[in-house]
Amino acid sequence: MLYVKIHELRKRKFKVAQIAKELKVSRPTVYKYLDMTFDEAKAYTEQPLGKKRKLDPYKDWILAWLEEYPHLSSAQIHDWLLERYPDLVVGGSTVRTYVKDIREVYQIEKKVMIRQYEAVPEQPMGKQLQVDWGETKQKTTDNKEIKLYFIAFVLAHSRQKYMEWQARPFTTRDAIRCHEHAFQFYGGRTEEIVYDQDHLIAVSENAGQLLLTTEFQHYVNEREFNVHLCRKADPESKGMIENVVKYIKGNFADSRVFSDIEDWNSRARQWLQRTGNHQVHQTTKKRPAEVFLLEKQHLQPVSSLLSYESTHNQSITRNVSKDNTIRYKSNRYSVPLGTYQTMSENLVWIEVKDEDQKTLVIRREAKGEVIAEHLVSSEKGKLIQNRHHTRDRSKGVEELKQRLVSCFEDQGQAAAYLDEISQRYPRYRRDQFAIIYKIIQQYPAFIDTVLTKCMAEKLYHANDFRDIAHHLHTLRDEPIEEGQPFYTSSPKHSHIKASTRSLLAYTSILGGRA
């Protein structure tokens, strides 16, 4: 097909460069096909990529996939090949080059799946503020690398921006502090604020019934603004702030050298005044700072005092995992067994108390009873576990032991015997008790005699208990005399006499002297 198209365009007086551009192939490819006859091109396409290549045996599969699904990427082709041929060892770059050549030879253009976005109507003045978080990696003055975190705000009408940075991840309390700074910067607040479903402020959307973290809910109640949480896969509803985050990363933070956080925030404010809010916005075609002078008059004033600082603690929620742990700052902390329930939401409320050292307090409800307390670990990737939160594995063993003791006449002696076994074989006491329990069921008439014998002979092992019981069962018609060895030959073989030979018989066989 490529051969035919090239020659058709050539007949229409297209130049080589024009043919290459039209068919999206290289000029050497055009020259190559122009010099071929149809039969030569047909033979070439049977071995389409010139010299033999590693993926030639799989050409038919690749071609069939591309013809049926033109939008497939080379990475998907690579994955499908490995799925069908698990032993195939081939690099991603090899697959990319081969797929590119297949597309060129067979003129299979990659169809790009374009997502359709709906234009969002302009918001009225003072109506909406959008908020989001971001992070970057910056070079420091001593040529090291540091991770920085920022929160960004943008007024939906004027596009007036604000940002604040810190050198550690944000907490809910940090987010609230930055909201207050933003309100001071803008001179008021909007009717509603748009957020992503971030764990700092929200637990879940819950089909429209928003469930915010305790601390942020207190803040919202005090400042009295409406919260709009974006639904998943809904970028249009907060596209403005996403563009601002990209703008901050690509314009302000890109290649800028970090010295300290105060200097960084100072330069960020200067950038907002100089560039972020001064340059003409590509959508509105206006300067945000100029439009903001009008929008500022529509913002609702906020008081400088905020009572949450003293009346509310730092209580936020966490999900309980199947292993009855919660995650807090890169560590896992245990909660009592049974806290996780299959058919419930499995949320607990945590609070960090900072007295002599930080303590993590976990509750079922925001102001409910404390179910767990842990010292906060400064390490990462650790499991901090309370021994009382683990399964009581001794409970079942103790129940089995009491059941065994109750089977003996002398329960005091039985308890002493089982305690000695437990001390000698602590890891195997359940197995030991299980063997004794089986013997009790099998030979109930002999267990007291066996116990007495084991205690007298100091045979503290379940296998000894079993062997004696079995022996007593075998000899149940023959009483054991005092002082007689407990283990004797079996009575059914006692009448058998072993034959004997003289010594001469053996010496003659071995060839020795008599």
Side-chain angles (χ1 to χ4, degrees), residues 387-435:
R387 289 181 58 189
H388 297 295
H389 296 166
T390 60
R391 182 178 289 106
D392 186 3
R393 293 174 172 83
S394 63
K395 186 176 180 180
V397 177
E398 286 300 317
E399 289 180 354
L400 178 57
K401 174 188 167 185
Q402 294 303 322
R403 195 185 311 167
L404 294 178
V405 169
S406 65
C407 295
F408 294 88
E409 288 184 6
D410 190 345
Q411 295 188 4
Q413 188 181 45
Y417 180 70
L418 297 177
D419 285 341
E420 185 66 27
I421 289 179
S422 297
Q423 291 179 11
R424 296 192 179 202
Y425 310 102
R427 291 182 58 191
Y428 303 99
R429 55 180 178 163
R430 184 185 293 274
D431 298 328
Q432 294 276 320
F433 293 171
I435 294 173

Side-chain angles (χ1 to χ4, degrees), residues 130 132 196 235-236 238-247:
Q130 296 188 7
D132 204 359
D196 205 349
E236 298 100 313
K238 63 178 185 68
M240 296 177 194
I241 190 60
E242 287 190 344
N243 288 333
V244 169
V245 170
K246 291 178 184 177
Y247 188 32

Side-chain angles (χ1 to χ4, degrees), residues 182-405:
F183 293 159
Q184 294 172 18
F185 174 79
Y186 289 125
R189 65 162 179 82
T190 55
E191 292 180 22
E192 73 172 11
I193 303 181
V194 178
Y195 303 93
D196 205 349
Q197 294 190 33
D198 193 278
H199 72 280
L200 296 178
I201 63 170
V203 177
S204 72
E205 189 182 10
N206 197 23
Q209 185 178 7
L210 304 183
L211 183 59
L212 305 180
T213 61
T214 301
E215 192 171 9
F216 198 74
Q217 184 65 68
H218 288 314
Y219 178 67
V220 171
N221 293 342
E222 183 156 353
R223 284 308 187 203
E224 298 180 338
F225 58 83
N226 297 322
V227 173
H228 177 87
L229 282 186
C230 296
R231 302 186 68 180
K232 294 180 179 179
D234 183 24
E236 298 100 313
S237 58
K238 63 178 185 68
M240 296 177 194
I241 190 60
E242 287 190 344
N243 288 333
V244 169
V245 170
K246 291 178 184 177
Y247 188 32
I248 291 172
K249 288 181 178 181
N251 192 296
F252 170 71
D254 185 33
S255 302
R256 196 178 295 272
V257 179
F258 175 85
S259 57
D260 61 74
I261 196 65
E262 288 78 15
D263 172 71
W264 189 263
N265 273 309
S266 175
R267 288 195 284 170
R269 290 189 290 271
Q270 294 171 12
W271 177 86
L272 285 172
Q273 184 177 3
R274 180 181 63 249
T275 301
N277 293 324
H278 178 74
Q279 296 296 333
V280 175
H281 194 276
Q282 293 299 312
T283 302
T284 64
K285 305 302 180 185
K286 299 175 183 178
R287 299 183 192 277
E290 295 176 356
V291 182
F292 171 67
L293 294 177
L294 297 175
E295 185 174 17
K296 185 176 182 179
Q297 303 172 24
H298 294 79
L299 298 177
Q300 301 183 21
V302 294
S303 63
S304 58
L305 298 176
L306 193 63
S307 61
Y308 87 94
E309 293 286 354
S310 58
T311 59
H312 301 300
N313 56 30
Q314 302 184 51
S315 181
I316 56 178
T317 58
R318 283 291 187 272
N319 287 314
V320 181
S321 302
K322 290 182 179 180
D323 59 357
N324 288 284
T325 61
I326 64 162
R327 291 189 176 274
Y328 179 73
K329 290 191 175 181
S330 302
N331 290 312
R332 292 184 298 150
Y333 294 84
S334 68
V335 293
L337 284 179
T339 303
Y340 177 84
Q341 299 292 327
T342 307
M343 302 301 291
S344 68
E345 199 169 12
N346 291 307
L347 289 176
V348 293
W349 301 80
I350 68 172
E351 175 189 351
V352 178
K353 292 183 177 179
D354 194 355
E355 297 171 353
D356 294 335
Q357 47 188 329
K358 289 186 176 181
T359 303
L360 180 67
V361 180
I362 306 172
R363 294 181 172 91
R364 262 298 190 184
E365 302 293 337
K367 296 181 180 180
E369 182 183 353
V370 175
I371 62 172
E373 286 192 25
H374 298 279
L375 293 178
V376 176
S377 173
S378 59
E379 300 181 82
K380 291 185 178 181
K382 298 294 184 180
L383 170 62
I384 294 84
Q385 191 172 41
N386 188 322
R387 289 181 58 189
H388 297 295
H389 296 166
T390 60
R391 182 178 289 106
D392 186 3
R393 293 174 172 83
S394 63
K395 186 176 180 180
V397 177
E398 286 300 317
E399 289 180 354
L400 178 57
K401 174 188 167 185
Q402 294 303 322
R403 195 185 311 167
L404 294 178
V405 169

